[in-house]
Amino acid sequence: MRKLKEKKPLIFTVLIAVLCMIIAFLIRNIYLNATAGPYEVTRKEIADYFSAQLNTQENTVKKGVQQIMLGTVSDNYDTTLDALKHVKAAGYDYIEINDFMIEKSSFIVKLLTKFGGMDIGNSGNQDWHTLIYESGLKVSSMHSNLGAIEADPEKVANLAKSYGTDVVVITGMYRFDYSDLNEVENLAERLNTAGKALKEHGVKLLYHNHNCELQKVSTNKTAYDVIIENTDGEYVNFELDTYWMTDGGADVYPIIEKLGSRLKYWHINDRGNTQKGPYMTPILKEKATELGKGNMNLKCLSEVIKEKGVMAVILETHMNWIDNDPVKSIEVSSEFMNKYF
């Protein structure tokens, strides 16, 4: 009898603990059920927000910022949202996203972009649908790569459309020989095939240049000439980056004329000598700088490009920002953007 009496308090304690666990479980489920509704509504609102963009026709040139500029300030949700709100407040309405920044990227991609001066930070860990929605921005286009489109065009198209855009941009080929005529002609055919595949899913394809497309493939033709001439405007058009064409030594005006109405988007950047103080040599290396602060005649370029019916102008710089702050750089460049677009 004595041993039984000693066990009663222990049994009672266990029963109380189990009862508390059951109550806690029930309270938790009641809470989750109570909060599940608003969360689903919020997600639906976000989806509806982007869906509406697909059916909206803009009568003015879209002013945007390339997402790559925000990699270093994408430490967490709050810092990223703050940067996006500053972009919006500066007068930009759009952001051009990159598939390797809106989804988790491999270590190799992070390493390559960092060494290339395009640090993507922790951008792949953020909820970009919600961030863009809360900032009030819209998405002008999504950068991807040819391999991804060839592997699954529907997946790429659906990802772009989930952000409210029907424009996908290829940013050039990695480890590709732009001096080989046969390779470049084959690339043009691949672009046609990819563009046709995306079009079947309601998405347009643009090709974005750097300076490598200025490689000569014959006495009087560059790789860019071949890409323009051998792609079909029904499936492939262009996002011209005049900074990289200037960097490669090209006169951009004949290129603009050759592209004509196929020039749909413009990547804008300025180029100049911005170092202050004494110099070790009288020769400075040209660097990217804020719009209107360098030596490119962007005012004249803007007038010519607008005559071609350009649909969007996207700011992109990778480094040499004021106080090493991309947001400050974006705000300074907005003075030019807001004046001419």
Side-chain angles (χ1 to χ4, degrees):
M1 295 294 293
R2 192 174 195 181
K3 289 182 179 180
L4 185 61
K5 285 182 180 180
E6 288 176 353
K7 288 182 179 180
K8 279 183 178 179
L10 179 59
I11 294 171
F12 182 75
T13 301
V14 171
L15 289 173
I16 291 295
V18 171
L19 183 61
C20 288
M21 290 174 64
I22 293 172
I23 293 171
F25 178 78
L26 291 172
I27 291 173
R28 177 179 177 276
N29 277 281
I30 291 170
Y31 172 77
L32 289 176
N33 288 332
T35 57
Y39 178 78
E40 290 300 323
V41 169
T42 301
R43 300 309 299 183
K44 184 178 184 303
E45 288 175 351
I46 293 171
D48 289 346
Y49 175 79
F50 289 113
S51 178
Q53 307 312 317
L54 288 171
N55 302 313
T56 301
Q57 297 294 324
E58 294 284 347
N59 296 321
T60 57
V61 177
K62 300 174 182 177
K63 293 184 295 184
V65 169
Q66 228 295 328
Q67 186 186 21
I68 197 73
M69 293 188 70
L70 303 177
T72 58
V73 293
S74 297
D75 296 328
N76 54 56
Y77 190 90
D78 291 337
T79 59
T80 310
L81 181 59
D82 182 66
L84 290 174
K85 285 183 175 179
H86 275 81
V87 170
K88 174 69 175 176
Y92 305 87
D93 294 315
Y94 287 84
I95 182 170
E96 181 176 61
I97 59 175
N98 307 300
D99 59 3
F100 58 87
M101 292 184 71
I102 57 176
E103 297 183 325
K104 290 186 182 297
S105 296
S106 67
F107 175 74
I108 295 298
V109 170
K110 288 183 178 181
L111 200 62
L112 288 172
T113 52
K114 188 175 181 67
F115 279 119
M118 299 177 287
D119 191 350
I120 63 174
N122 293 320
S123 58
N125 298 325
Q126 313 303 331
D127 178 359
W128 283 94
H129 282 106
T130 304
L131 281 165
I132 295 169
Y133 169 77
E134 290 196 2
S135 71
L137 291 168
K138 293 174 281 188
V139 175
S140 63
S141 40
M142 183 184 80
H143 276 215
S144 187
N145 65 86
L146 184 54
I149 297 170
E150 290 174 327
D152 195 339
E154 184 177 11
K155 180 180 178 181
V156 174
N158 287 341
L159 181 60
K161 288 191 288 188
S162 77
Y163 282 91
T165 181
D166 62 355
V167 178
V168 167
V169 186
I170 290 176
T171 58
M173 303 296 290
Y174 177 64
R175 294 184 65 84
F176 183 83
D177 188 358
Y178 280 94
S179 64
D180 187 316
L181 176 59
N182 291 330
E183 288 292 318
V184 177
E185 288 178 336
N186 182 56
L187 172 60
E189 285 307 308
R190 291 173 65 192
L191 290 172
N192 283 329
T193 301
K196 184 177 181 180
L198 286 178
K199 185 176 181 181
E200 291 172 356
H201 297 287
V203 170
K204 307 174 187 71
L205 177 65
L206 304 183
Y207 181 89
H208 175 282
N209 67 279
H210 293 100
N211 56 13
C212 54
E213 288 86 357
L214 292 174
Q215 289 288 298
K216 289 289 183 68
V217 294
S218 66
T219 305
N220 59 354
K221 284 187 185 293
T222 66
Y224 203 57
D225 290 324
V226 173
I227 292 170
I228 296 170
E229 293 167 7
N230 288 270
T231 50
D232 187 338
E234 184 177 352
Y235 304 126
V236 182
N237 287 292
F238 294 86
E239 179 177 70
L240 177 65
D241 192 313
T242 50
Y243 176 91
W244 286 120
M245 285 299 181
T246 302
D247 181 82
D251 180 354
V252 296
Y253 292 99
I255 294 173
I256 292 170
E257 289 303 317
K258 185 164 189 172
L259 288 172
S261 61
R262 296 181 70 188
L263 197 173
K264 302 298 184 184
Y265 280 28
W266 179 25
H267 260 208
I268 189 172
N269 194 355
D270 209 344
R271 183 175 176 80
N273 310 117
T274 57
Q275 183 175 331
K276 295 180 180 179
Y279 312 131
M280 291 298 293
T281 82
I283 300 173
L284 294 178
K285 181 180 179 181
E286 286 190 79
K287 294 181 179 179
T289 189
E290 285 68 37
L291 303 184
K293 308 300 181 182
N295 300 316
M296 293 182 70
N297 191 349
L298 295 180
K299 178 182 176 183
C300 186
L301 275 174
S302 298
E303 292 170 354
V304 172
I305 285 177
K306 280 191 288 187
E307 289 175 0
K308 302 302 178 186
V310 70
M311 299 169 64
V313 54
I314 310 295
L315 174 69
E316 179 186 15
T317 58
H318 302 149
M319 57 187 73
N320 201 38
W321 300 312
I322 296 172
D323 298 331
N324 202 33
D325 185 339
V327 175
K328 282 186 179 180
S329 181
I330 288 167
E331 290 173 332
V332 170
S333 288
S334 71
E335 297 171 13
F336 180 92
M337 292 283 273
N338 294 332
K339 182 176 181 179
Y340 293 102
F341 292 96

